[in-house]
Amino acid sequence: MRELTIQKNDADQRLDRFLGKAVPLLPASLAQKYIRLKRIKVNDARAERDCRLREGDKLQLYINDEFFETPSEENVYLTIVNPRLHIIYEDENIMLLDKPAGMVVHADEGEKVNTLVNHLLAYLYQKREWKPREENAFTPALCNRIDRNTGGIVIAAKNAEALRVLNEKIRERELSKFYLCICLGRPEPPKGRIECFLRKDSKTNTVRVYHHPVPDGRSAVTLYETLETRDRLSLIEVELLTGRTHQIRASFADMGHPLLGDGKYGVGSVNRRYGETQQALYSYRLRFDFPTDAGILNYLRGREFIADEVPFRRKYFG
């Protein structure tokens, strides 16, 4: 319990508005709930959220210590009352989350709060599976990332050992990741392997494709298979053998078959004709191959998980 005394400069404010300034990490909706449940009192008595505070009043706050911390990027998850997560799978060690296109995985210049990782932390905190004040260093983490405008499966580790194993397995390419995408035209051959080198341009946040080794270029290997073609659009399944920035988008654009809706590598006139502002790309299938020991995650060996729905697949290919 914390007790705050109302000073002269704090007087004549509504209780709820004072709480918004004094405890900025406490969401307004949660503050109202705590007032209703008498976890926030004024002078040891129940109060209404719109009551006027007077100099000398004492507020009793029966809320978790985390809410009294200084706001920062590390604790902004506390401001999320209703975590928005589409959970494909969850156990005591991991979660598989279906990230919608348009949501960022981690904070960037345009979004600090509504990120996938913040909604994950809010979810685990509210379930009391993660108690940050009892942890010395560990924070639940995402093991892979996908672009803002790409949807699909993201792996989360709920404990340090699971995070260690997953990072190792991803590094050793013991997980198989499959994407669905829609490209313009019909790739020839309809099934193949793309090998190239990608060099990133940090100024434009794009990559350039090369077909020979170049300084700072990273090898990229992509397998693809055309599943269906309609109206000059092709539905493609892609398996990533390497995980490079914009690997699928840049590789298909280099082939002459950019992804529908891609604002960086695509064809603007075509995107506008179809009304698409996000690339038609979805990380829809994940398989835990694990040819070597996976410790506490051995039970996942051979298991495969598929996203419930790929919106653009239904839209264009029924």
Side-chain angles (χ1 to χ4, degrees):
M1 192 271 285
R2 297 283 185 97
E3 185 171 86
L4 303 178
T5 301
I6 300 303
Q7 305 298 325
K8 181 178 180 179
N9 291 330
D10 299 323
D12 202 34
Q13 293 187 66
R14 285 170 46 134
L15 172 59
D16 55 356
R17 292 177 181 168
F18 171 78
L19 289 170
K21 300 172 186 176
V23 195
L25 288 176
L26 183 65
S29 57
L30 194 56
Q32 292 179 26
K33 178 180 178 180
Y34 286 170
I35 292 170
R36 191 169 60 251
L37 295 175
K38 296 189 287 189
R39 290 179 61 175
I40 296 177
K41 299 180 180 180
V42 178
N43 300 322
D44 288 313
R46 179 174 183 171
E48 299 298 326
R49 64 188 181 90
D50 59 354
C51 78
R52 293 282 173 177
L53 299 174
R54 297 172 297 177
E55 183 178 358
D57 281 347
K58 294 187 181 298
L59 272 62
Q60 291 77 38
L61 307 175
Y62 297 87
I63 63 179
N64 291 355
D65 289 337
E66 289 91 339
F67 289 107
F68 293 98
E69 296 176 353
T70 301
S72 68
E73 286 191 13
E74 286 69 35
N75 59 27
V76 72
Y77 66 88
L78 292 168
T79 66
I80 298 174
V81 179
N82 298 307
R84 299 194 309 274
L85 294 176
H86 183 173
I87 301 172
I88 295 174
Y89 173 80
E90 179 178 9
D91 62 28
E92 68 275 15
N93 296 311
I94 74 163
M95 296 176 69
L96 299 182
L97 308 173
D98 191 347
K99 183 192 83 70
M103 175 182 254
V104 293
V105 171
H106 294 103
D108 61 14
E109 293 181 0
E111 181 57 67
K112 303 296 184 185
V113 179
N114 286 308
T115 66
L116 186 65
V117 70
N118 282 338
H119 282 266
L120 167 70
L121 295 179
Y123 171 82
L124 294 175
Y125 173 79
Q126 290 174 23
K127 285 183 67 180
R128 307 308 294 162
E129 285 193 36
W130 174 54
K131 300 176 182 179
R133 285 189 168 269
E134 296 179 13
E135 296 283 354
N136 292 321
F138 179 74
T139 300
L142 303 177
C143 304
N144 62 310
R145 64 172 65 200
I146 51 182
D147 295 340
R148 175 196 287 267
N149 290 327
T150 300
I153 301 173
V154 178
I155 311 168
K158 296 168 70 172
N159 56 63
E161 181 62 12
L163 180 62
R164 183 194 66 77
V165 172
L166 286 168
N167 284 341
E168 177 184 339
K169 296 305 181 186
I170 291 172
R171 185 171 59 251
E172 297 299 322
R173 302 176 186 172
E174 295 188 18
L175 281 72
S176 295
K177 293 177 284 185
F178 300 86
Y179 288 73
L180 283 180
C181 66
I182 294 177
C183 74
L184 309 186
R186 184 192 299 263
E188 290 294 341
K191 180 178 181 179
R193 177 186 180 101
I194 306 169
E195 296 189 47
C196 60
F197 296 86
L198 303 178
R199 185 165 68 186
K200 187 173 182 180
D201 184 339
S202 56
K203 292 182 180 179
T204 61
N205 192 29
T206 59
V207 297
R208 186 171 177 182
V209 178
Y210 295 85
H211 297 280
H212 54 82
V214 293
D216 299 322
R218 306 186 71 186
S219 63
V221 183
T222 308
L223 304 181
Y224 72 91
E225 180 176 1
T226 304
L227 303 180
E228 191 173 351
T229 298
R230 289 188 192 177
D231 188 29
R232 292 176 293 179
L233 299 177
S234 293
L235 179 67
I236 311 291
E237 182 184 66
V238 176
E239 180 181 1
L240 289 183
L241 300 189
T242 56
R244 310 302 188 200
T245 300
H246 298 175
Q247 178 174 327
I248 297 173
R249 298 164 63 188
S251 295
F252 273 81
D254 181 68
M255 288 174 63
H257 301 286
L259 302 194
L260 177 65
D262 194 333
K264 287 184 182 290
Y265 305 96
V267 181
S269 60
V270 177
N271 296 339
R272 288 190 293 273
R273 185 165 76 243
Y274 284 95
E276 298 294 345
T277 59
Q278 298 173 338
Q279 60 262 15
L281 180 63
Y282 215 92
S283 177
Y284 88 112
R285 184 156 66 98
L286 174 71
R287 187 173 65 237
F288 294 94
D289 294 321
F290 293 169
T292 62
D293 182 65
I296 65 169
L297 300 184
N298 269 323
Y299 61 91
L300 291 171
R301 178 181 281 115
R303 295 197 62 180
E304 182 173 276
F305 299 89
I306 301 176
D308 297 332
E309 184 177 9
V310 179
F312 59 77
R313 180 178 195 175
R314 182 184 71 253
K315 180 178 179 180
Y316 291 102
F317 292 89

